[in-house]
Amino acid sequence: MARITAGVGSSHVPLLGVAHDQGKERDDYFGPIFAGYDWTREWEKQEKPDVVILVYNDHASAFDMRFIPTFAIGCGERYKPADEGWGPRKVPDVIGHPDLAWHIAQSLILDEFDMTIINEMDVDHGLTVPLSMMFGACEAWPTTVIPLAVNVVTYPPPSGNRCWALGEAIARAVESFPEDLNVQIWGTGGMSHQLQGARAGLINPEWDNRFLDLLEAEDDAVRHIPHIEYLRETGSEGIEMVMWLIMRGALGHKVKTLHRHYHVPCSNTAIGHIVLEPNT
Amino acid sequence: MARITAGVGSSHVPLLGVAHDQGKERDDYFGPIFAGYDWTREWEKQEKPDVVILVYNDHASAFDMRFIPTFAIGCGERYKPADEGWGPRKVPDVIGHPDLAWHIAQSLILDEFDMTIINEMDVDHGLTVPLSMMFGACEAWPTTVIPLAVNVVTYPPPSGNRCWALGEAIARAVESFPEDLNVQIWGTGGMSHQLQGARAGLINPEWDNRFLDLLEAEDDAVRHIPHIEYLRETGSEGIEMVMWLIMRGALGHKVKTLHRHYHVPCSNTAIGHIVLEPNT
Amino acid sequence: MSHLDIHAYLAEFEDIPGTRVFTAARARQGYHLNQFAMSLMKPENRERFKADERGYLDEWAISEEAKQAVLARDYNALLDIGGNIYFLSKLFSTDGIAFAQAVSTMTDMSWPEYRQMMLDGGRSPEGVRSIREGR
Amino acid sequence: MSHLDIHAYLAEFEDIPGTRVFTAARARQGYHLNQFAMSLMKPENRERFKADERGYLDEWAISEEAKQAVLARDYNALLDIGGNIYFLSKLFSTDGIAFAQAVSTMTDMSWPEYRQMMLDGGRSPEGVRSIREGR
Ligand SMILES: [Fe+3]
Ligand SMILES: [Fe+3]
C-alpha cells in the first residue's frame, strides 16, 4: 500500500534556482537561506521517497490566458524545465509517475474534485526550485514527481478550505493504491511577498510564523483563513500559501514537526520551509 | 437580476447538423425528429433568451489528450465552429457573454467547484447542433452563449451528484448577477447510444423515458444514478446524460414540463428532448 | 461525498459485453494513436495522410500493430489498443464515410443490416447488460 | 460550503493600498497584453522583439496606451491596464534584468534603496493593510 510519509513546505523563489545553478549557495546572501535546507537534504537521503506529489503553481509558463485550470494533475511520463525567458534551467527532466498519478486523478474525480488531467507540459521554477532545494545538484532527480498545479494567479484561486479538502482526498487516494510506495507531498510558494506596485517588498514575519504555527497545530483552523487576509498581511503573492494547505490536509489531524526554517530576504520574498510527518 | 427561466434537454447528434445544413429536415428519415423541435423553435421565438448556458461535451475537438478538464467554462468573446474532419459547419460564430461567464466562473470557484476557465476554443457539434435544433437556420444566433464543457470521454466523468450540485451553484451565481437577463440552461448529449464494439446500436427507450420522468420529478433521485447504470442500460455513450443533470439541478426542486419528445433512431442514437421551467 | 473506491468502480466496466470503457489504462495505451487521429482535424494533415498513409503514420510514436490496424480500418482492434471512438472518428471523416457506417464495422452485421436494425428500434439491451449476471 | 458573495469578495481587494489583484476584470482588459508578454518565452520571439519592439508590438491586438507602456517599461501603467506580473516578467528576462530590480521600478524607491529595504527585512505591513481602516 502506498503511504504519505511526510509533508514538506517550501518557498520556490526563482532566484534560489539561479543561486543554485550558478554555485552561489554558500555566499553571504544565499548562505543563510540554503543552510536551512541542509537538514532536509540529509533527511531526504535517508527517506528516499519513491514519489513526490509536488503542489505548485505555474507562473504563466505552461498555461497562458487561454486555459486556466484550478487544479491540474500531471499524469505524463516526463516534464521538461520551461523556458521562462532566460532559457530553460539546466536541471534534469522531471520523471512522472503515471500509474499513481492516474490513480489519484481518477480517485479525486470520483471524490467530486473537478480535476484537469495534464499529459504534456513544461514545468517552471515553481516545481524545479523545490527539487533543487531538497536534493541539491544531481544527474537525475532521486524521485519521481506528480505535478499538481494550482491556479493562484487569476482570481479567485481555490479557497483554503478547498485546498485542505483536496489534500485529504489525495491522502485517501494514495492509501488505496496497491503498490508499496513511499510518497511525500510538498506544498510550495509563499511566504510573504508582493511583486507589484507601490507596496512591493512587503514582508510580515509575524504572520508567516503564525501560519507555520497553525500548520503544526492539531486543529484545522488554518484552512479557514480568507484570501483577503493573505493579501493584506503577506502581500499579493503571499496567496501562494494556500498551496501549503493541500500538503497539510494530506497529513491528517496530528503532525510532528521535524524541521522548520525562516529567513528574510530572498529577492522580494521571505523564505519559509517546514518538514512535517503524520503523527497517528 | 439575471434569472434562469427555463431548462432545455436535447440530444446533439452530429447527423442532425448534417440534415439541417443539407436541407433534409423534413424528409422521411429526419421529419419525425425535427417535428419534435417545432414547438421549441416557436417557443424560443417568444422567449428570446439573452444568454444560454450551454452544457455539452467536446468530442476530441477543442481538447485533445494533453489537457482534459472536468468542467470548463467559456469566458471568451466568440467561438468558431470546429473542423471535425469534414470542414467546419457553415453556421454563425457563437457569441459569448464574458460578463456573465466570468461572474459565474468566479462564483463557482468561490463555491468550491474547481473550474477550468477557457478564453479561446472552437466549439464542435455538441454545442452547435443544439443551437440549430432550437433556432433553425439563421444569419446570427439569436442569443449569446456560455459554453460549459464537461468531460464525458475519459473516465471518470463527474458523478451525477456533482453535476446536479454544479447546476445548483450555477443558479446561485446567475441570481447574484445584477443585470436583468433572461438566461436559459441547456443540457445536451444522450440519450441511449453506443458508438463502439459488438454492442453498438444499443437503444433502451424504457430507460430513456424513465430518465425523462425522473427529470420531471420533484425529488432529486436522478442525481444518484451511478455511471455503470448509464453504461449498462443506455450504451457507452449514454453517459452523456449526466450533463442533463447540470441543467436540471439549476432549476430548483419543482419543475413544470412544457414539452417532451422522444424518437428512435437518428444515426446510432435515440433522440430525446425536453423543455422544463422552474415551478416555485 | 461517497468516497467510492476506484478499483470497484473500474472493475464493473469489464462486466459490460462488447464494450470498452475509455479508462485511464486505455487512455494511456492509446495516447499517441489518439493524438494521431486528432491531427486529422487539420485539412493539410488529411491531405498528407491520404497521399501516403504509411508515411504519415510513421511520424507518430505508435506501435506497428496500431499502424496496421489503422491501415486496415480495423476499429475493434484500434479500440483494443486504446483508441477512443471520438478520436478515431476523425479517420471516418477523412475517409468520407458516415459515423454509423464506420460503427457498423465493429458489429457482426453488414452496414445495411445494421442500418435496418437501427430503423427497427436499435439493439435491445436485453442480455447485453452484464456478463456476470447474464441479463 | 459557504456560498460567499463574489461582489463582496472582490470589493475587498480594492481596499489594499498600492495593489492590483488580478481579477477577471483585469484579466479581460489585459488579455492580449499578457499573451504578447507570454510570447517572449520563445527565444525566436525574444530576438524579433529586441530587433524591432514597435514592429513586434504592432502584431498584437493591444491598445496604443499599452504599447507605449511596454516601450517605456512602465510597469505600474501596465498593471493598471490589466498586465499580470508573471506574464510581464517575460519582459524582465528579455531585458536581462533581475525580477527584484524590475519590481523596484514600481515603488517610490531606487533599485539600491529597494534592495537595502529588503536586506533590512522588507516593507512593513504596518499602515498598508487597508485603506478604509488605515492600518
Ligand atoms: Fe510562485
Ligand atoms: Fe455527444
Side-chain angles (χ1 to χ4, degrees):
Chain A
M1 189 183 93
R3 60 227 128 75
I4 293 184
T5 56
V8 174
S10 176
S11 304
H12 60 212
V13 190
L15 190 62
L16 293 175
V18 178
H20 170 80
D21 300 347
Q22 299 183 349
K24 296 181 182 166
E25 288 198 3
R26 303 297 153 177
D27 77 8
D28 287 351
Y29 188 85
F30 292 107
I33 298 170
F34 281 87
Y37 287 82
D38 287 341
W39 184 90
T40 313
R41 286 183 180 178
E42 282 308 308
W43 170 79
E44 287 288 14
K45 279 181 202 153
Q46 311 303 318
E47 288 294 308
K48 294 186 182 55
D50 297 302
V51 192
V52 169
I53 300 168
L54 207 161
V55 182
Y56 76 111
N57 66 298
D58 181 79
H59 304 76
S61 303
F63 308 126
D64 62 17
M65 291 307 293
R66 289 174 306 152
F67 296 83
I68 309 169
T70 294
F71 291 136
I73 180 164
C75 294
E77 304 276 350
R78 68 164 58 214
Y79 311 93
K80 291 201 173 296
D83 181 346
E84 298 179 61
W86 304 88
R89 283 191 70 201
K90 286 183 185 53
V91 290
D93 282 3
V94 173
I95 307 302
H97 196 299
D99 287 346
L100 181 60
W102 273 105
H103 170 81
I104 293 173
Q106 294 178 109
S107 301
L108 290 176
I109 293 167
L110 277 194
D111 219 354
E112 307 200 333
F113 289 83
D114 316 312
M115 307 307 290
T116 291
I117 291 167
I118 305 283
N119 281 304
E120 293 180 39
M121 67 172 170
D122 291 345
V123 289
D124 74 9
H125 70 268
L127 188 134
T128 64
V129 163
L131 287 172
S132 294
M133 298 311 288
M134 258 47 89
F135 297 126
C138 30
E139 286 294 302
W141 299 118
T143 180
T144 61
V145 173
I146 298 176
L148 203 160
V150 179
N151 169 45
V152 291
V153 173
T154 303
Y155 275 72
S159 68
N161 185 57
R162 186 67 175 166
C163 288
W164 183 289
L166 178 64
E168 292 176 323
I170 288 171
R172 286 192 292 273
V174 168
E175 274 164 33
S176 70
F177 189 71
E179 204 180 322
D180 183 39
L181 292 174
N182 178 0
V183 180
Q184 293 186 358
I185 182 164
W186 298 2
T188 73
M191 305 204 68
S192 288
H193 62 309
Q194 172 144 344
L195 303 179
Q196 52 131 327
R199 207 175 72 137
L202 186 132
I203 300 287
N204 190 341
E206 292 73 28
W207 199 97
D208 287 346
N209 277 289
R210 193 164 63 82
F211 181 79
L212 293 171
D213 294 344
L214 286 171
L215 290 179
E216 295 177 344
E218 203 171 318
D219 65 30
D220 61 355
V222 68
R223 72 198 288 177
H224 301 299
I225 298 172
H227 289 164
I228 186 71
E229 182 172 337
Y230 292 96
L231 294 169
R232 288 194 201 279
E233 296 288 344
T234 75
S236 47
E237 280 66 44
I239 191 67
E240 290 186 341
M241 279 182 267
V242 295
M243 296 187 287
W244 295 43
L245 303 184
I246 298 175
M247 172 273 284
R248 181 59 189 83
L251 300 181
H253 274 278
K254 277 179 76 175
V255 290
K256 189 172 141 197
T257 305
L258 301 182
H259 179 65
R260 182 170 158 170
H261 171 53
Y262 187 80
H263 176 84
V264 176
C266 175
S267 180
N268 301 284
T269 309
I271 293 293
H273 172 43
I274 196 163
V275 181
L276 300 169
E277 85 184 356
N279 188 355
T280 44
Chain B
M1 189 182 94
R3 59 228 130 76
I4 294 183
T5 57
V8 174
S10 177
S11 304
H12 60 213
V13 190
L15 190 62
L16 293 175
V18 178
H20 170 80
D21 299 348
Q22 299 184 350
K24 298 181 182 165
E25 288 198 3
R26 302 297 152 176
D27 76 9
D28 288 352
Y29 188 85
F30 292 107
I33 298 169
F34 281 86
Y37 288 83
D38 287 343
W39 184 91
T40 314
R41 285 183 180 178
E42 282 308 309
W43 170 78
E44 287 287 15
K45 280 180 201 152
Q46 312 303 318
E47 289 293 309
K48 295 187 180 56
D50 299 302
V51 193
V52 169
I53 300 168
L54 207 162
V55 183
Y56 76 112
N57 66 297
D58 181 78
H59 303 77
S61 303
F63 307 127
D64 61 17
M65 291 306 294
R66 289 174 306 153
F67 296 83
I68 309 169
T70 294
F71 291 136
I73 181 165
C75 295
E77 303 276 350
R78 67 165 59 214
Y79 311 93
K80 290 199 172 300
D83 181 347
E84 299 180 61
W86 304 87
R89 285 190 69 202
K90 287 183 184 54
V91 290
D93 283 3
V94 173
I95 308 302
H97 197 299
D99 285 347
L100 180 61
W102 272 105
H103 171 81
I104 293 173
Q106 295 177 108
S107 300
L108 290 176
I109 293 167
L110 276 194
D111 220 352
E112 307 201 334
F113 289 83
D114 316 312
M115 307 306 290
T116 291
I117 291 168
I118 305 283
N119 281 305
E120 292 180 40
M121 67 173 168
D122 290 346
V123 289
D124 73 10
H125 70 268
L127 188 135
T128 64
V129 164
L131 288 172
S132 293
M133 299 310 288
M134 258 47 89
F135 298 125
C138 31
E139 289 293 302
W141 300 118
T143 180
T144 61
V145 174
I146 297 175
L148 202 159
V150 179
N151 168 45
V152 291
V153 174
T154 303
Y155 275 72
S159 68
N161 184 58
R162 185 68 175 167
C163 288
W164 184 288
L166 178 64
E168 292 176 322
I170 289 171
R172 285 191 293 272
V174 169
E175 274 164 35
S176 71
F177 190 70
E179 204 179 321
D180 183 39
L181 292 173
N182 178 359
V183 181
Q184 293 186 358
I185 181 162
W186 298 1
T188 74
M191 305 208 61
S192 288
H193 61 310
Q194 171 144 347
L195 303 179
Q196 52 131 326
R199 205 175 73 135
L202 186 131
I203 300 287
N204 191 341
E206 292 73 27
W207 199 97
D208 287 348
N209 277 288
R210 194 163 63 81
F211 181 79
L212 293 171
D213 293 344
L214 287 170
L215 290 179
E216 295 177 345
E218 203 170 317
D219 65 30
D220 61 355
V222 69
R223 72 197 290 178
H224 302 298
I225 299 172
H227 290 164
I228 186 71
E229 183 172 336
Y230 292 96
L231 294 169
R232 288 195 200 278
E233 296 287 344
T234 75
S236 47
E237 280 67 44
I239 190 67
E240 289 186 342
M241 280 182 268
V242 296
M243 294 187 288
W244 297 41
L245 302 184
I246 298 173
M247 172 273 283
R248 180 60 188 83
L251 300 181
H253 275 279
K254 279 179 73 175
V255 290
K256 189 171 140 200
T257 305
L258 301 182
H259 179 64
R260 180 169 159 171
H261 172 51
Y262 187 79
H263 176 82
V264 176
C266 176
S267 180
N268 301 284
T269 310
I271 294 292
H273 172 44
I274 198 163
V275 181
L276 300 169
E277 86 185 354
N279 189 357
T280 44
Chain C
M1 295 184 201
S2 41
H3 308 323
L4 262 175
D5 176 59
I6 186 73
H7 307 294
Y9 175 86
L10 293 173
E12 286 194 291
F13 295 158
E14 302 308 314
D15 181 50
I16 310 174
T19 304
R20 295 86 156 181
V21 180
F22 193 60
T23 54
R26 290 198 174 85
R28 287 173 64 185
Q29 191 189 2
Y31 189 83
H32 294 289
L33 170 63
N34 289 320
Q35 293 293 82
F36 144 75
M38 186 94 181
S39 75
L40 300 175
M41 288 183 73
K42 293 215 173 83
E44 59 271 26
N45 290 341
R46 293 198 286 274
E47 288 318 308
R48 287 212 299 121
F49 175 69
K50 281 191 227 180
D52 177 11
E53 294 200 0
R54 176 76 212 196
Y56 189 83
L57 282 166
D58 284 342
E59 296 170 17
W60 295 85
I62 58 183
S63 66
E64 183 58 29
E65 184 192 5
K67 290 176 191 174
Q68 291 302 333
V70 170
L71 293 170
R73 304 298 192 267
D74 183 345
Y75 290 111
N76 274 322
L78 289 168
L79 291 174
D80 282 337
I81 55 186
N84 172 275
I85 200 65
Y86 293 121
F87 287 83
L88 296 175
S89 75
K90 314 309 177 200
L91 197 53
F92 314 163
S93 41
T94 300
D95 286 343
I97 70 163
F99 208 113
Q101 183 178 353
V103 167
S104 73
T105 68
M106 291 178 258
T107 69
D108 58 2
M109 291 175 215
S110 68
W111 167 224
E113 286 166 351
Y114 181 83
R115 194 178 147 86
Q116 191 58 49
M117 173 184 76
M118 291 313 302
L119 287 171
D120 295 341
R123 183 188 305 280
S124 165
E126 219 49 60
V128 291
R129 291 182 175 97
S130 164
I131 299 168
R132 197 174 54 231
E133 299 169 21
R135 60 175 178 113
Chain D
M1 296 182 198
S2 41
H3 307 322
L4 260 176
D5 176 59
I6 186 74
H7 306 293
Y9 174 86
L10 294 173
E12 286 193 293
F13 295 159
E14 303 309 313
D15 181 50
I16 310 174
T19 304
R20 294 88 157 178
V21 180
F22 194 59
T23 54
R26 289 199 174 85
R28 288 173 63 184
Q29 190 188 3
Y31 189 83
H32 295 288
L33 169 63
N34 289 319
Q35 293 294 81
F36 144 75
M38 186 93 181
S39 75
L40 299 176
M41 286 182 73
K42 293 215 173 82
E44 58 271 27
N45 290 342
R46 293 198 287 273
E47 287 318 308
R48 288 211 299 119
F49 175 70
K50 280 191 226 177
D52 177 12
E53 295 200 0
R54 177 76 212 196
Y56 189 85
L57 282 165
D58 284 341
E59 296 169 18
W60 295 84
I62 58 182
S63 66
E64 182 59 30
E65 183 191 4
K67 290 176 191 174
Q68 291 303 333
V70 170
L71 292 171
R73 305 297 192 268
D74 183 344
Y75 289 111
N76 274 321
L78 289 168
L79 291 174
D80 282 338
I81 55 185
N84 172 275
I85 200 65
Y86 292 122
F87 287 82
L88 297 176
S89 75
K90 316 308 177 198
L91 197 54
F92 313 164
S93 39
T94 300
D95 286 343
I97 69 164
F99 209 114
Q101 183 178 352
V103 166
S104 73
T105 69
M106 292 177 257
T107 69
D108 58 2
M109 292 176 213
S110 67
W111 167 223
E113 286 165 352
Y114 182 83
R115 195 179 147 85
Q116 190 59 49
M117 173 185 77
M118 291 314 300
L119 287 171
D120 294 342
R123 184 187 305 279
S124 165
E126 218 52 60
V128 290
R129 292 181 174 96
S130 164
I131 300 167
R132 198 176 53 232
E133 299 169 22
R135 62 178 176 111

